[in-house]
Structure formats: structure tokens, C-alpha cells
């Protein structure tokens, strides 16, 4: 692919590695493209953040295609992963340590499947305090990491599918299809609460955004190799 092609606009499907931030992926690809073509500037952005502890599909746009980022961000998303029941964490995932323990002996396969129905359709959801949402110019996770608390407003999101795919208590595998702005970590927390227990997100992978699939995505390393070979 040529320098002109990247400037005119490309949609790149990348499988985000574990522990990388979405911004690190963007910065890495931008640097590699600049190095390859010896250019000072090129626009590169992502269409929807993934947490560092999540893997899966990132849509990366270059050049003029960055104008379409909002369109891609607004599309329906599919996730798979694992909830771990019996304990909560302040971040609702593994970024922070378990702070409360809850019973799980009463949880049956039937209860797990039945409880998913509470989350179908339009629901009200409160995002985690450990999130990239801005309040008064600061990211909420910046406040959370300092131990500061703040009131977070609920938001309306839509869950079109919530399927339990595997049960190995305390771990429960899931597949969820949802609207823009849905926090799977919040579903993990709320789902645990609805089971009269506790829960946190222990694995997450974004598998689809609209018609785009992670099956068609490249790893960062594969993208760099292709860039050097094909350009």
C-alpha cells in the first residue's frame, strides 16, 4: 500500500494485544507508517476504546478516513469473555484487587440463564469509576487511582443478546451483543449483584463491530510485517 493510500484513508482491522492501551496501538501504527514513508504527519485514530486488559477488534482509521470514526463507533458491538462470580473489585475487572467476597453455593445453571433476561433490551447502566469518561476535564480513572470518589450518572444502553456460553463456577463464559457506550465490566458487576452474589470481569475480547470481525484483523506484528513487505 502506498503513502498516498494511507493519506487518502484506510480502515485497518487490528487485534489489540493484552495490556496495550488503544492509544498505544494507534501511536505504534502511526509511527510505523511515518517511518516507512519518511513522512512527518499522518492522521491515525481508533473507533472505540478497548481497556488494556481486553483483547480483540480495534478499527483504526488513517488519513481522510478518520472523518468516519464516529460512524464506526456508533455501530453494534459483540464481545465474548468471562465473569468470575463470588467477588467484586473497585474497577469491576482485574485491574484492582478483590474488595468483597460473596456466596456462590446457591447459583445454579438455571439461575445463571434466567438472570440474563434482566439485562435484555434497553437498560440503565452506571459506568465504572475506573473508566475513560471525562468529568470536569479529568478522566474518571485518574480520580479513581487517587482514591477520589465522584457521582456517576446512569446511561441508557441496549443489550440485544446475552448468552451464557460456559459454566465452570466461579467462572462463567458469555457472549454479548450491545450498543455503543455499553460497559461489559458494569454488566459483570450488576450481573453478580442480580445473582445475589458478586462478580467481576476476568477476560474480555471484542469480536465484532458492525459487519467487521476480529477474524479478519491483523496483529500489530502482522501489520508491521505487511507494511514493510507490500509498501
Amino acid at each position: 500500500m502506498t503513502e498516498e493510500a494511507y493519506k487518502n484513508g484506510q480502515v485497518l482491522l487490528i487485534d489489540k494485544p493484552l495490556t496495550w492501551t488503544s492509544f498505544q496501538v494507534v501511536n505504534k501504527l502511526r509511527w510505523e507508517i511515518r517511518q516507512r514513508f519518511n513522512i512527518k504527519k499522518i492522521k491515525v485514530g481508533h473507533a472505540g476504546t478497548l481497556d488494556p486488559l481486553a483483547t480483540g477488534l480495534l478499527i483504526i482509521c488513517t488519513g481522510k478516513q478518520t472523518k468516519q470514526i464516529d460512524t464506526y463507533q456508533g455501530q453494534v458491538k459483540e464481545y465474548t469473555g468471562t465473569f468470575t462470580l463470588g467477588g467484586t473489585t473497585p474497577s469491576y475487572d482485574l485491574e484492582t484487587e478483590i474488595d468483597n467476597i460473596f456466596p456462590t453455593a446457591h447459583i445454579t445453571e438455571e439461575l445463571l440463564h434466567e438472570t440474563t433476561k434482566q439485562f435484555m433490551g434497553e437498560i440503565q447502566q452506571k459506568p465504572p469509576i475506573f473508566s475513560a469518561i471525562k468529568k470536569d476535564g479529568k478522566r474518571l480513572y485518574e480520580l479513581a487511582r487517587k482514591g477520589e470518589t465522584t457521582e456517576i450518572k446512569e446511561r441508557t444502553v441496549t443489550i440485544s443478546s446475552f448468552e451464557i456460553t460456559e459454566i465452570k463456577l466461579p467462572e462463567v463464559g458469555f457472549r454479548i451483543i450491545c450498543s455503543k457506550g455499553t460497559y461489559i465490566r458494569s454488566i459483570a458487576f450488576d450481573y453478580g449483584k442480580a445473582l445475589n452474589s458478586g462478580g467481576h470481569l476476568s477476560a474480555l475480547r471484542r469480536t465484532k463491530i458492525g459487519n467487521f470481525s476480529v477474524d479478519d484483523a491483523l496483529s500489530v506484528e502482522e501489520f508491521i510485517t505487511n507494511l514493510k513487505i507490500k509498501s
Side-chain angles (χ1 to χ4, degrees), residues 27-223:
N27 289 338
K28 178 65 173 172
L29 268 57
R30 184 192 296 116
W31 188 86
E32 292 289 345
I33 293 169
R34 285 177 55 207
Q35 290 295 111
R36 176 64 185 85
F37 299 109
N38 194 26
I39 53 179
K40 287 186 177 181
K41 273 189 175 183
I42 185 166
K43 288 184 178 180
V44 182
H46 69 76
T49 305
L50 270 178
D51 290 333
L53 295 180
T55 64
L57 184 59
L58 265 184
I59 294 179
I60 307 288
C61 297
T62 75
K64 294 176 182 176
Q65 197 64 36
T66 55
K67 294 177 181 178
Q68 301 301 317
I69 280 177
D70 286 348
T71 300
Y72 296 126
Q73 279 182 331
Q75 295 184 357
V76 168
K77 298 171 179 67
E78 178 186 85
Y79 296 90
T80 61
T82 306
F83 299 144
T84 297
L85 303 177
T88 56
T89 72
S91 60
Y92 299 174
D93 65 2
L94 295 176
E95 182 183 337
T96 53
E97 299 291 326
I98 289 175
D99 57 357
N100 285 297
I101 302 294
F102 298 87
T104 58
H106 65 286
I107 297 174
T108 62
E109 186 171 330
E110 183 182 1
L111 181 62
L112 287 169
H113 289 290
E114 188 65 28
T115 304
T116 63
K117 295 175 184 177
Q118 297 179 30
F119 295 84
M120 292 295 295
E122 274 196 2
I123 63 168
Q124 294 299 305
Q125 181 186 81
K126 187 174 285 191
I129 181 67
F130 283 78
S131 67
I133 295 170
K134 281 188 176 180
K135 185 170 185 180
D136 301 327
K138 290 190 175 182
R139 303 283 185 185
L140 290 183
Y141 62 73
E142 294 173 356
L143 300 174
R145 286 168 186 162
K146 292 178 183 176
E148 298 178 25
T149 58
T150 185
E151 184 59 34
I152 305 173
K153 291 182 180 179
E154 288 189 337
R155 55 170 64 180
T156 302
V157 298
T158 303
I159 311 298
S160 51
S161 180
F162 185 176
E163 175 188 354
I164 300 301
T165 57
E166 187 175 27
I167 300 170
K168 290 183 178 178
L169 289 174
E171 294 185 343
V172 178
F174 67 85
R175 174 180 163 272
I176 289 174
I177 300 175
C178 57
S179 65
K180 171 190 174 182
T182 304
Y183 277 89
I184 306 299
R185 284 184 285 145
S186 291
I187 292 179
F189 180 84
D190 294 339
Y191 183 62
K193 193 174 180 181
L195 291 165
N196 290 317
S197 181
H200 61 275
L201 184 65
S202 49
L204 183 65
R205 183 164 177 76
R206 184 157 65 196
T207 46
K208 288 183 181 178
I209 300 174
N211 293 323
F212 297 104
S213 171
V214 74
D215 293 339
D216 300 318
L218 298 176
S219 68
V220 173
E221 293 77 11
E222 287 170 335
F223 171 79

